[in-house]
Amino acid sequence: MPLTEYRLVADLIHGAAILLLFYQIIKNRSCHSVSGITVMLYAITFTCRYLDLYPFYSYQFEGVSAYNTIFKIYYLVSHYLILILIYGVFRHTRDKLINTLPIFAYLILAHILAWITCFLENIGQFDKEFFWRFSIFLEMLAIIPQMNLTYKQGTVNTTILFYMSMLGTYRALYIANWIYRYYNENILEPIAFFGGCMQTMIYLYFFFHVYPRLKNMKSSQEVEIKKEKLSNVDTKEVINEKTGKDVPLIHDIV
């Protein structure tokens, strides 16, 4: 794929988003707000997509290929390192109480979509094209577990929100890249374009429908906490007025 301005900016944003996730985990020494399933789905996505990195595929490390190879290796290595942090180093900080859709559900759905499109075009199930399409559909679904975890935890983690917004921007820029190439080179990859559009719609749904609800939930919780504190103060003042002296409440003593 030719290197356009849209693609260059998208790749840089994508790479920065991964670094931001590293920063979130290392700084807090916790992966409580990070979905291990999302990271695992991304790792599988890039493993299936970049088959040209493996010894049984030949490629030339020059020009744009050098750029591609560097980013491919970065995507693969970074996600596997994050998996080590989540399921190894900081495994005790994972939020295991929140139930999410099993990872096999995403894998099966992506496989079915890839199989249908390949069947219609007589493409073999173990052909490189099949794995590429599988990775496109899997990436389309990969962010859903993270969104689900964020919603069920009911917390607004600024770093995770930035991470997801950067991934959404990266996908939107790739759509712009495909549109640019279509009008200038008359080239369009319908599978990648469809996957990118669906993925962008998922991000838009989260930030325009789910995220405002999370903010309202947080505001309601803050109001309830303030009311509880004011209620405790009022109760203490009433007791003081009746007794004529400052009597501590039980929870103050404890």
Side-chain angles (χ1 to χ4, degrees):
M1 182 188 300
L3 185 62
T4 65
E5 293 85 353
Y6 296 107
R7 184 189 171 195
L8 177 61
V9 175
D11 289 340
L12 293 177
I13 292 176
H14 190 190
I18 298 172
L19 288 178
L20 186 63
L21 189 60
F22 260 117
Y23 171 79
Q24 163 73 13
I25 297 174
I26 297 298
K27 177 187 176 183
N28 299 323
R29 300 188 64 80
S30 170
C31 57
H32 178 75
S33 57
V34 180
S35 171
I37 294 180
T38 284
V39 178
M40 190 176 298
L41 289 175
Y42 277 126
I44 297 173
T45 292
F46 298 128
T47 300
C48 294
R49 182 175 302 174
Y50 302 141
L51 295 178
D52 56 318
L53 292 178
Y54 307 142
F56 45 84
Y57 281 100
S58 61
Y59 62 96
Q60 294 181 349
F61 192 83
E62 58 183 15
V64 178
S65 294
Y67 172 88
N68 289 340
T69 303
I70 291 173
F71 267 95
K72 290 175 182 179
I73 294 174
Y74 171 69
Y75 293 150
L76 282 168
V77 173
S78 60
H79 280 89
Y80 280 109
L81 286 177
I82 294 175
L83 284 177
I84 292 175
L85 293 178
I86 295 175
Y87 293 101
V89 180
F90 303 118
R91 63 185 181 278
H92 299 298
T93 63
R94 290 172 52 220
D95 192 342
K96 301 177 182 179
L97 299 178
I98 294 181
N99 295 321
T100 58
L101 196 63
I103 187 173
F104 294 106
Y106 301 98
L107 296 174
I108 291 172
L109 180 56
H111 185 277
I112 291 174
L113 292 173
W115 180 84
I116 291 174
T117 58
C118 289
F119 176 79
L120 295 175
E121 299 180 31
N122 295 321
I123 297 175
Q125 189 170 354
F126 295 101
D127 189 85
K128 182 181 178 181
E129 178 68 17
F130 172 83
F131 286 101
W132 179 81
R133 296 188 181 192
F134 171 77
S135 72
I136 292 295
F137 292 123
L138 190 60
E139 184 180 12
M140 180 179 72
L141 305 169
I143 196 61
I144 294 178
Q146 178 62 64
M147 293 178 174
N148 187 36
L149 178 66
T150 301
Y151 176 73
K152 288 188 175 182
Q153 286 182 337
T155 57
V156 182
N157 187 301
T158 304
T159 306
I160 294 298
L161 288 175
F162 271 117
Y163 166 72
M164 289 193 290
S165 63
M166 292 171 74
L167 290 181
T169 303
Y170 139 74
R171 260 301 131 192
L173 286 172
Y174 256 81
I175 294 176
N177 176 64
W178 281 114
I179 295 175
Y180 173 84
R181 293 193 63 200
Y182 176 75
Y183 282 104
N184 290 273
E185 305 173 24
N186 198 28
I187 296 176
L188 179 65
E189 175 51 61
I191 301 295
F193 186 77
F194 170 78
C197 288
M198 292 300 298
Q199 192 174 350
T200 303
M201 290 176 63
I202 292 173
Y203 283 107
L204 291 175
Y205 175 81
F206 177 83
F207 282 105
F208 285 97
H209 181 71
V210 178
Y211 176 60
R213 295 176 62 182
L214 285 175
K215 291 183 66 177
N216 292 334
M217 289 169 57
K218 183 179 180 182
S219 299
S220 300
Q221 291 174 356
E222 291 177 349
V223 170
E224 290 298 326
I225 292 174
K226 289 181 180 178
K227 287 183 178 179
E228 185 177 351
K229 289 182 178 179
L230 290 174
S231 177
N232 291 337
V233 172
D234 293 340
T235 303
K236 187 175 181 179
E237 290 178 350
V238 170
I239 295 176
N240 290 339
E241 289 177 359
K242 291 181 177 180
T243 59
K245 58 182 180 179
D246 189 7
V247 178
L249 296 177
I250 295 177
H251 66 265
D252 291 333
I253 299 175
V254 176

